[in-house]
Amino acid sequence: MTARLVGFDLALPEDWVVLPHVVPDVDRWARETARSLVSRSGRAPAEADETPHPGREALGREALVDPAEALADGIAGVARTVADAGVTGMETAFLVRRPDLGRLDAMLTLVAQQDLSAEAFGADLERVVADGGENQLVATEVRGDVPAGAVRGLHLMIGHSVPDLGEGVAHLEERVALGVFPPDSTDMVEVTAIANGVGAFDDLPQAVLDLLTGLTIETEVAA
């Protein structure tokens, strides 16, 4: 008997914030969420760099960046990225470890996929890596098992060219693309995590596998 996936839920630690399915006013929601996070953190905003350098005297004291403002920009960016993707049923969350620093640490998305085996998913990832050419700097296999099922996928380091910074300069993106395959089912949950810069995690694949221990997948036997 084949079980079909009918729902899933991921229990996340409190420093992850879940993006609502509908955000009527993205900028307003982002500002309110950012202010709430900074306020609840109980930390004073990080101070500006006071290291002396040429020209500092002419410019005067460097202004402190409002962490809530910077954080709101990042949150709004996540919301718009998800809206532009237009994927029905996608669940999204973002990680904010230190709201007082005004930045997101990672973005996580989950979406159910029907009739996608581990082999087919792996072949899809291989095609993505091949199509990425030289931009795909590293692609390492990730395998694991969590209570919801077997986990298979890739850990990727991707180089994005940044023309404004000069020829040959690239922004390095770290991400994992995983599938969680419940037993006795032809369906799966696709999981993507993108870190905000290399170094945000000591071990991003393991961090995501740890998160997925909180994933519950609901299935029912097809008639």
Side-chain angles (χ1 to χ4, degrees), residues 18 21 30 44 48 51 55 66 71 75 77 86 88 93 111 135 141-142 176 179 181 198 203-204 210 214-215:
V18 176
H21 289 155
T51 304
D66 181 353
L71 189 56
I75 293 172
T88 303
V111 63
N135 289 339
E141 185 180 27
V142 178
V176 292
F181 301 87
V198 176
D203 187 337
L204 180 60
D210 290 344
L215 177 65

Side-chain angles (χ1 to χ4, degrees), residues 8-215:
F8 64 85
D9 181 68
L10 179 60
L12 289 166
E14 63 180 14
D15 50 1
W16 284 88
V17 180
V18 176
L19 182 71
H21 289 155
V22 179
V23 184
D25 187 331
V26 168
D27 290 327
R28 179 178 178 180
W29 179 80
R31 286 194 303 269
E32 291 174 351
T33 301
R35 289 195 197 104
S36 174
L37 289 170
V38 172
S39 174
R40 281 166 26 205
S41 72
R43 293 175 179 264
E47 294 185 0
D49 178 15
E50 292 298 321
T51 304
H53 62 74
R56 173 66 62 90
E57 293 78 6
L59 293 173
R61 180 182 175 86
E62 186 175 290
L64 289 173
V65 175
D66 181 353
E69 236 177 79
L71 189 56
D73 287 343
I75 293 172
V78 167
R80 290 194 175 94
T81 297
V82 172
D84 291 344
V87 178
T88 303
M90 179 182 286
E91 302 288 344
T92 304
F94 51 87
L95 174 64
V96 185
R97 296 190 186 109
R98 289 280 306 274
D100 59 299
L101 297 180
R103 66 166 182 256
L104 308 184
D105 294 290
M107 171 181 171
L108 179 74
T109 63
L110 299 92
V111 63
Q113 301 283 10
Q114 291 188 326
D115 295 319
L116 188 60
S117 67
E119 293 74 19
F121 179 65
D124 286 346
L125 290 181
E126 288 177 8
R127 281 193 290 272
V128 169
V129 171
D131 291 344
E134 295 180 355
N135 289 339
Q136 305 283 2
L137 304 178
V138 178
T140 307
E141 185 180 27
V142 178
R143 299 174 70 89
D145 291 284
V146 296
V151 182
R152 304 289 183 268
L154 292 178
H155 175 213
L156 300 164
M157 292 287 191
I158 306 167
H160 298 283
S161 60
V162 185
D164 292 345
L165 298 181
E167 187 176 350
V169 178
H171 167 70
L172 195 57
E173 175 191 295
E174 183 179 17
R175 71 164 61 193
V176 292
L178 305 175
V180 183
F181 301 87
D184 303 319
S185 177
T186 58
D187 304 333
M188 54 89 84
V189 175
E190 185 174 356
V191 181
T192 303
I194 304 174
N196 184 11
V198 176
F201 292 83
D202 293 332
D203 187 337
L204 180 60
Q206 187 58 55
V208 178
L209 286 172
D210 290 344
L211 285 178
L212 291 178
T213 60
L215 177 65

